[in-house]
Amino acid sequence: MDLSRKRVVNWCPRCQTSLSDLELEHKEEKSHLWYIKYPLVKPIGTKKHITVATTRPETMLGDTAVAVHPNDKKYKKFIGQKVILPLTNREIPIIADSILDPEFGTGALKVTPAHSMIDAEIAEKHNLPAIQVISDKGRMTKKAGHKFASLTVLDAREKVIKELKKKKLLEKTKDYTHQIPRCYRCDSAIEPLISPQWFLKMDNLANQAIKAVKSNKIKFHPKRWEKVYFDWLKNIKDWCISRQIWWGHQLPIWQCQNKKTEYFASDKTPKECSVCNKCKPEQIEDVLDTWFSSALWPFATLGWPKQTKDLKEFYPTNTLSTARDIINLWVARMIFSSTELIEKTPFQDVIIHATIFAKNGQKMSKSLGTGVDPLDLIEQYGSDATRFGMLYQALINQDILFSEENILMGKKFANKVWNASRFALMQINKEKIKIPDNPNWKKTTKADKKILKQLNITTKKLDSYLETFQFGKATHLLYDFFWHDFCDKYIESAKKQDNAQTKQILAYVLLNSLKLLHPFMPFVTESIYQQLPFKEKEFLMIENWPK
Ligand SMILES: [Zn+2]
Ligand SMILES: [Zn+2]
């Protein structure tokens, strides 16, 4: 616990809670870049001021420095000088910091440590004070000066610009489009501000997570998604994990009631205060970021922290299938939570599945009306058709544009499987056929040989596609085998070859086809299996996988 550092967090003035970076939604907005003159206390030659550019002029009331890049020739002579902060008449220093982008605006940055994360970082290095001019309600504080106090941020912005114009300190205004962070819950503009919050120290945890994937203990499929994971972990900052909302896991932190600035952690309700040994400490009301709790999911669901039988039996798990948008929100956090708390990686394979977009390429969204309800598709085409038709498109490209034609194709294929199976069963004439485990066919025809060979090839290929999580390719393989090799060719030949072995081979290929298709079309295949006169198990789903 490091209580000395004050940090800027993302604050939603409406929800009255902090948010992590990943909970922000960045939305493009047309705004302006305002160029403001800060007069030099002692002019240098003809230079009477230094100009800063900002998208948030109202925050200037809380500036405590102007920063320039140490190698920027334009500004070298100003470093160490002071400017008079307009509208406040405070004197603030001009400092040098290499974190600056000399290409942005004028190359001189106003530093507002209480309302910008980067500025807070600069302030810490240079020991600058932080002046909070915006409150947690999103209004200007008294420290912004009596003219501005209690105004909303946007009203204050207007007034600041008006005042600067009056004093001829506004050099120019440029149109500027930029990304505004907004609250993912309520869409309010986020106010970065200093707030006492709890942070999770990330260096060591991020390293553990990086190592787990670098060492191949965990593999991403497709592998390219590793980059998203590594990029995030390599640039990670400490994670603000406390939220001021009423649902969630309460933080296991207690406050001393005698020394209210002191806290201690305990995983059980403490009997006494470990700060003063006298008071009855109170647990703080903050709850954990919901993603912190979600990160415990793989093992907490098995009874952790108790060493349960389930945990011993089923942990670590094998495979996680998830969406690309939550690689960092969830996958990365599950990994380091598990390596830290259980000293095991939570799974071996992470499948990042394809994402289905609306026909025009937009994200499917309820509010935009671009979404498709899978239940409607199932109602219209059947669930096997919906599943098969979706998978059929998931090849190399992972951005799938929704196509109802593919679902229709899935329906036609499901019908084909149904009809062909019924037809094959008629051929077999419900005779008592016993399919041998390791068949040793004698006197096979050319057609027999061909279908048996194709079945072998298909089985092998399907295994390799499943092992490498290429479900789209698997559906293409099965479609071609069943429709073309089995239905178009073999069933036709079998009609002419009326003998006992042909019926056996027909039954053998049908049974194995059903097994191979089962993961992709579970309902129709199970339903056919139930009608087989030669079935050996109660259900297809517990049959042995073909070899
Ligand atoms: Zn909000
Ligand atoms: Zn105490």
Side-chain angles (χ1 to χ4, degrees), residues 135-341:
S135 75
D136 61 8
K137 301 274 186 320
R139 288 182 179 266
M140 304 308 284
T141 66
K142 279 187 190 149
K143 286 186 179 153
H146 69 274
K147 269 190 185 169
F148 303 99
S150 83
L151 291 182
T152 65
V153 167
L154 290 181
D155 287 346
R157 183 174 301 175
E158 239 172 73
K159 195 158 184 180
V160 163
I161 293 162
K162 214 167 122 192
E163 296 282 319
L164 288 171
K165 272 186 188 158
K166 237 196 262 171
K167 294 189 187 320
K168 298 200 163 39
L169 291 173
L170 190 69
E171 194 174 284
K172 60 178 173 180
T173 308
K174 255 174 112 179
D175 287 340
Y176 188 68
T177 303
H178 63 150
Q179 302 278 331
I180 302 264
R182 291 187 170 272
C183 170
Y184 79 106
R185 271 196 213 104
C186 74
D187 205 42
S188 299
I190 291 299
E191 284 303 334
L193 49 82
I194 289 179
S195 164
Q197 299 288 344
W198 297 91
F199 289 81
L200 191 62
K201 213 167 170 37
M202 287 307 300
D203 310 3
N204 178 37
L205 295 175
N207 280 336
Q208 291 181 29
I210 289 169
K211 227 167 104 187
V213 174
K214 282 249 153 94
S215 67
N216 274 331
K217 275 192 181 157
I218 298 175
K219 292 190 184 102
F220 276 85
H221 309 273
K223 193 173 161 63
R224 64 175 182 276
W225 291 110
E226 275 180 4
K227 190 178 176 326
V228 173
Y229 175 83
F230 287 136
D231 283 353
W232 184 67
L233 287 167
K234 280 176 189 158
N235 296 304
I236 205 157
K237 294 206 175 99
D238 288 349
W239 175 13
C240 174
I241 52 168
S242 47
R243 295 290 179 276
Q244 291 69 48
I245 50 182
W246 61 266
W247 64 93
H249 289 142
Q250 208 172 349
L251 264 72
I253 293 172
W254 274 261
Q255 183 184 34
C256 172
Q257 296 304 296
N258 285 326
K259 294 180 185 166
K260 292 229 172 180
T261 54
E262 301 214 19
Y263 300 84
F264 64 97
S266 169
D267 57 7
K268 292 190 185 75
T269 304
K271 292 215 168 63
E272 57 180 27
C273 174
S274 63
V275 175
C276 72
N277 295 319
K278 281 180 210 139
C279 77
K280 199 173 175 307
E282 277 182 22
Q283 189 171 8
I284 61 167
E285 287 181 349
D286 289 2
V287 296
L288 288 164
D289 178 357
T290 165
W291 288 107
F292 183 99
S293 302
S294 306
L296 311 176
W297 182 83
F299 42 94
T301 49
L302 296 173
W304 180 88
K306 288 195 193 98
Q307 290 302 315
T308 60
K309 232 178 109 185
D310 284 352
L311 193 63
K312 272 185 211 134
E313 184 116 0
F314 299 113
Y315 207 75
T317 69
N318 306 103
T319 306
L320 174 78
S321 167
T322 192
R324 64 181 78 167
D325 343 29
I326 50 177
I327 292 174
N328 298 330
L329 277 169
W330 196 37
V331 181
R333 286 164 172 174
M334 281 194 277
I335 293 172
F336 64 66
S337 298
S338 182
T339 53
E340 174 69 19
L341 297 169

Side-chain angles (χ1 to χ4, degrees), residues 264-432:
F264 64 97
S266 169
D267 57 7
K268 292 190 185 75
T269 304
K271 292 215 168 63
E272 57 180 27
C273 174
S274 63
V275 175
C276 72
N277 295 319
K278 281 180 210 139
C279 77
K280 199 173 175 307
E282 277 182 22
Q283 189 171 8
I284 61 167
E285 287 181 349
D286 289 2
V287 296
L288 288 164
D289 178 357
T290 165
W291 288 107
F292 183 99
S293 302
S294 306
L296 311 176
W297 182 83
F299 42 94
T301 49
L302 296 173
W304 180 88
K306 288 195 193 98
Q307 290 302 315
T308 60
K309 232 178 109 185
D310 284 352
L311 193 63
K312 272 185 211 134
E313 184 116 0
F314 299 113
Y315 207 75
T317 69
N318 306 103
T319 306
L320 174 78
S321 167
T322 192
R324 64 181 78 167
D325 343 29
I326 50 177
I327 292 174
N328 298 330
L329 277 169
W330 196 37
V331 181
R333 286 164 172 174
M334 281 194 277
I335 293 172
F336 64 66
S337 298
S338 182
T339 53
E340 174 69 19
L341 297 169
I342 305 207
E343 295 175 29
K344 279 180 190 159
T345 45
F347 28 71
Q348 295 144 23
D349 293 294
V350 179
I351 308 168
I352 304 300
H353 54 66
T355 303
I356 299 169
F357 292 87
K359 267 198 190 95
N360 59 6
Q362 273 185 331
K363 220 175 174 182
M364 282 200 178
S365 128
K366 250 189 200 162
S367 54
L368 293 174
T370 48
V372 172
D373 188 340
L375 291 177
D376 292 341
L377 296 173
I378 290 170
E379 183 78 27
Q380 198 180 343
Y381 299 104
S383 61
D384 283 347
T386 304
R387 178 195 293 234
F388 196 88
M390 292 281 183
L391 285 170
Y392 198 77
Q393 272 190 285
L395 294 170
I396 297 186
N397 184 357
Q398 285 209 302
D399 292 354
I400 295 178
L401 301 188
F402 177 70
S403 125
E404 205 151 331
E405 293 84 70
N406 275 290
I407 314 291
L408 182 62
M409 178 281 297
K411 182 180 175 171
K412 286 182 181 159
F413 185 53
N415 278 339
K416 186 78 181 174
V417 171
W418 179 258
N419 290 332
S421 303
R422 303 274 301 179
F423 185 76
L425 283 176
M426 264 161 50
Q427 298 276 307
I428 298 161
N429 287 334
K430 306 221 173 200
E431 282 168 27
K432 188 109 182 101

